[in-house]
Amino acid sequence: MTTRLLSPVTGVVWKLSAQPGTTLMTDDEVLVLESMKMEIPVTAPHAGRLARLHVAEGEAVNEGQLLAEIVSENG
Amino acid sequence: MTSAPPPDAEPPPLEELAQRRATARELSGTEAIAKWHALGRLTARERIEAFLDPGSFQEFGRLAGHGEYDDRGRLRRFTPANCVMGRGEGAGRPLMIVADDYTIRGGSSEAAVAEKWIYAERMAREFRLPLVRFVDSAGGSVRLLEKAGHTKIPGYPLWPSTALMSEVPVASVAFGACAGLAAVRVIGAHFSVMVKHQAQVFAAGPPVVKQGLGREVDKETLGGYQTCTRVSGIVNNAAEDERDALAQVRRFLSYLPGNAWELPARVATGDDAERADAALDTLIPQDARKIYPARRIAETVCDRGSLFEIAPDYGASLRTVLARLDGHAVGLMYNDPAVMGGALTQAAARKLERFVDLCDSFHLPVVNLVDQPGVMIGAEAEAAGTIAAAARAAAAIEQASVPWIAVVLRRAFGVAGSMLGPWQGPSGTSLNHRFAWPSARWGSIPIEGGVAAAYRREIEAAADPAARREELEAYYRRLASPFRTAEAFGVVDIIRPSETRALLCRWVRDAYRLMTTQTLGPKRRGMR
């Protein structure tokens, strides 16, 4: 099963916390967005492997934009 | 029956009553109900039974419906009206309940005896009882035209839908596809909840959209819970199943009074009003850019287990919650920095406006825990009319006469930062009773950005512009210490976070004592 992580806010990609291929546990930080001067972590909703990152540090993102894809281990 | 009556004799009246009651209890009949159950749904009667306290249902209009008679005037067939209504007790209080029966002509309000459901609503108003609507209605049908032989100008002259909203709590559940009037009966409530993957709420469903716009859109996209509770916000909450929806309505009503002339009842929770939780003192990170679990603060400050969130998935940068403090019901608002940085988005502003109206109408004192970076900015926010929505929310606050207290946890900036509570209120005597945690910062404009704008030339001319900007910002940050504001009595007090619960519990007792001395009733508000 592949989960698409969408941006919850309009802002800028502040930091990438995980690289493609990384194994993630539930709630592990994938990246951090900056919006309204706050750092807003985007976390893994379930365990899995970070399959793809669609954004780079410093990139402006819109609300609802695809950020990353996570493939769950058992699916 | 022991013996059949002679062909033309009427059955004895008590027997006829028993027979007619039995037919009404069967609703659409065993076969139709079996099909309905196979869909995993409860009948109108089962929903009412599951909702009310056992044995408390006093049904009205149970004999209403459509009788078919033979040429000698003898009853041959009877179809009950497709709504079940009456008075009952739920959430510890008397109330009026009205439930559509979809299994009879799609639950359409026009199909049979419209007077019946309207009577339920009129009775709720006349007796000042909370109204609960179980909506499961497909809307009108062209077939009815043939029966009536004429069309009608739409509307229900005796339906007191707007007046009810000022006078008694109204809660609604959407159980199926609710279009047109049915959608309005769901939305025109103080609390609405829809069953996931089963209910849709919209002006019109897929066939009408196809006809009018030539577009194929499925009903979940048009009016499913994702659309209604996350995007448009027209329905407050989503429920996992029918029983979850019923439980949410009971929970909602438990915080409210029976009507606008009464105060909410105190329910002792056993939680210590003076409880000071030291964990609160370190919950806000030193780094102003880092978020924190806002819900945990709300849970720690309020009576344990007393939080019931309204519209959790809409405008979620602001949380609107019913809760208890020392057993007293309150309306609690707090910003959630994890969502849009806690900013006042258009959705959050609309949610705020409605929540304040609810609290003010039913005398729920308001607790505002503030971490407000400001009105949401950017092209999308402007296109959505966010600043106008914020202005309406600010007006709703100013029109509120219910007791109000604010505690600034962290940020209070700009227009949204000015919305801690009423400045004068309708009476002109509101205190703007406001406190702060030591982590608080406020101002008309934030230091970062503000310094860059005001000192642009000086910073650019400096040998090391970045260093000069940091130096200026550090200076202004010291000026912006909340203690300097407290020196000027710009805030009533700065408190340790762990002292918040005791402060609020003392205040809420004063608030309720004050309200017992006031003349209650529906609030009058001017244009906003």
Side-chain angles (χ1 to χ4, degrees), chain B residues 168-181:
Chain B
V168 300
V170 181
S172 62
V173 182
F175 282 107
C178 302
L181 174 70

Side-chain angles (χ1 to χ4, degrees), chain A residues 8-11 14-15 32-41 61-63, chain B residues 288-291 337-338 340-341 343 373-377 380 410-411 446 448:
Chain A
V9 294
T10 298
W14 179 252
K15 189 178 77 166
V32 180
L33 300 170
E34 186 197 28
S35 183
M36 297 301 278
K37 302 189 192 98
M38 296 298 289
E39 293 172 21
I40 303 185
V61 293
N62 290 317
E63 185 180 352
Chain B
R289 297 171 51 84
K290 297 281 192 257
I291 61 170
M340 309 297 278
V375 174
M376 188 63 198
I377 55 172
E380 292 155 40
R410 204 183 220 183
R411 299 161 296 171
E448 304 82 5

